[in-house]
Amino acid sequence: MTNKKFIAYNLMATGLFIILIAFSDFFFPKNELLKTQNINEYNVPVNFAKQPEVTATERENITFILGEDEKPEENYYASATQFYRTHPTEKTEQLITSCRSILEVRDYLATHFQSGQMPWGKINLVVHGNEWSGLGVATLPGGKRTTVASIKSAIENNKLRPLPEFIADDCTEIHIHGCAVGRNVELLKTIGKAFGASQPVPVKSSVHFIRYEPTEGRPCRSQLESYYAFYPKTYRPTDQELIAQLKKRYPQVEINWEDALSRRQPRHQKDIYHHTFNVPIVWTVAYADEKSVPNLAKWSAQKKWLREQNELQDLLEEYKMPLENFQWTFLNTMHELEDGTKVPAIRAIGLCTVLTILKPVEGSEI
């Protein structure tokens, strides 16, 4: 379950040009390894001038598996593929495993729409994700991870065109099967706008983590409650320190935290275990000239500088991720403005490890 989110702000005040960037894809080589292709290759011409006469009486459902398992012990995508291919009630008429971007999903829906077909029904998107860093799939082929910012940018640049109402309408439903993505309501709304021409396509996603696994010889999907503890990357607190943090954050939750910290994989379907992933923040502040750049050689100066970044503080407060739980690196660099001018800048790179205790939601298995 990978985890990564990109948010960008552009501010200008009192001669300072500030570019604030959070949850950059800089740390995620998987997206960088995707082959970059001309975006026009994916904008396949489709005649949207006239809505075809509808003769079908049922909508067709479709599932997109948007990734592949990177390690032999991982089976998220493999199990999900089996689930949507064979489950008696959840299997769909089509199951597509070749798309690796939101644009490719959009174009597949457009180019495989048949004359006389009702608008698409349920559209399943199976992908890694989390509430902070969005979806673990590129918005555009070879591009950035899917976040509110990357979707809006693709729409504004006319690279992600909404589907006509006769292909996807307000009765179409996009179901994103990614861990706790449902907690990022703005992301769901933005994706809905990206797919809907006259009005947003409804987008749903669970607030829980998702697990696919075979149970009693059949494919099964279940949901898990998540409880978080945070610490700077490369510095793992002791189990007792983590337990103290968890108890403080969740005083009413009755979980044997020590037992959960003892294993990374469940022994059986109802087992409680833990998982970790990293959340990065890249925060760049550009200045008018070299004289305006502060000296951040000491941690005291770095900490003061970070606390003066109000938008950064607001973001961390929104996500309940304390500043001290990031490992920070500071770089003096140059930043290129929209007009091509290069100005001096400070780039702060923060890495936080999120330890997640996962507890199955009783009765969620299907």
Side-chain angles (χ1 to χ4, degrees), residues 78-299:
S79 296
T81 301
Q82 184 70 3
F83 177 83
Y84 291 104
R85 181 172 286 153
T86 64
H87 193 277
T89 60
E90 294 295 312
K91 66 181 178 182
T92 55
E93 289 85 349
Q94 292 193 52
L95 190 145
I96 310 303
T97 61
S98 58
C99 295
R100 290 297 179 268
S101 72
I102 297 300
L103 178 60
E104 289 172 85
V105 169
R106 176 252 175 242
D107 284 345
Y108 188 97
L109 295 171
T111 57
H112 289 76
F113 179 83
Q114 303 296 323
S115 178
Q117 178 180 326
M118 289 281 286
W120 291 100
K122 181 189 292 186
I123 302 169
N124 291 314
L125 304 182
V126 178
V127 62
H128 283 309
N130 64 71
E131 60 188 278
W132 297 288
S133 55
L135 307 182
V137 65
T139 298
L140 305 177
K144 300 182 185 301
R145 183 182 176 91
T146 296
T147 64
V148 172
S150 67
I151 289 283
K152 287 183 176 179
S153 175
I155 294 173
E156 291 169 0
N157 292 320
N158 200 31
K159 293 181 178 179
L160 184 58
R161 299 171 297 149
L163 294 168
E165 193 171 0
F166 62 84
I167 292 182
D169 60 11
D170 59 352
C171 290
T172 301
E173 286 188 352
I174 297 176
H175 289 243
I176 300 177
H177 302 279
C179 295
V181 174
R183 296 179 183 176
N184 192 333
V185 177
E186 186 180 2
L187 177 61
L188 303 187
K189 290 181 178 178
T190 306
I191 291 174
K193 292 177 182 178
F195 279 84
S198 59
Q199 57 184 321
V201 172
V203 180
K204 299 181 178 181
S205 188
S206 175
V207 298
H208 301 303
F209 273 56
I210 304 297
R211 182 170 70 194
Y212 294 95
E213 60 183 348
T215 302
E216 298 179 353
R218 63 178 179 84
C220 178
R221 183 184 68 205
S222 58
Q223 301 184 68
L224 304 98
E225 294 275 7
S226 55
Y227 306 93
Y228 302 119
F230 307 103
Y231 57 89
K233 188 177 185 298
T234 73
Y235 173 73
R236 187 186 189 280
T238 65
D239 282 359
Q240 292 307 311
E241 289 173 319
L242 290 171
I243 291 170
Q245 185 183 155
L246 288 162
K247 286 182 175 180
K248 183 178 180 180
R249 289 176 59 85
Y250 308 102
Q252 306 301 321
V253 176
E254 296 184 1
I255 285 180
N256 186 332
W257 304 113
E258 184 175 7
D259 183 56
L261 288 173
S262 69
R263 59 184 161 272
R264 291 180 174 272
Q265 296 293 333
R267 298 163 299 182
H268 49 78
Q269 190 175 5
K270 296 184 178 180
D271 215 359
I272 301 176
Y273 61 106
H274 77 277
H275 169 75
T276 59
F277 57 90
N278 297 317
V279 171
I281 291 180
V282 177
W283 201 264
T284 300
V285 178
Y287 296 87
D289 51 54
E290 291 286 353
K291 294 181 180 180
S292 304
V293 180
N295 184 352
L296 301 183
K298 296 183 179 180
W299 168 238

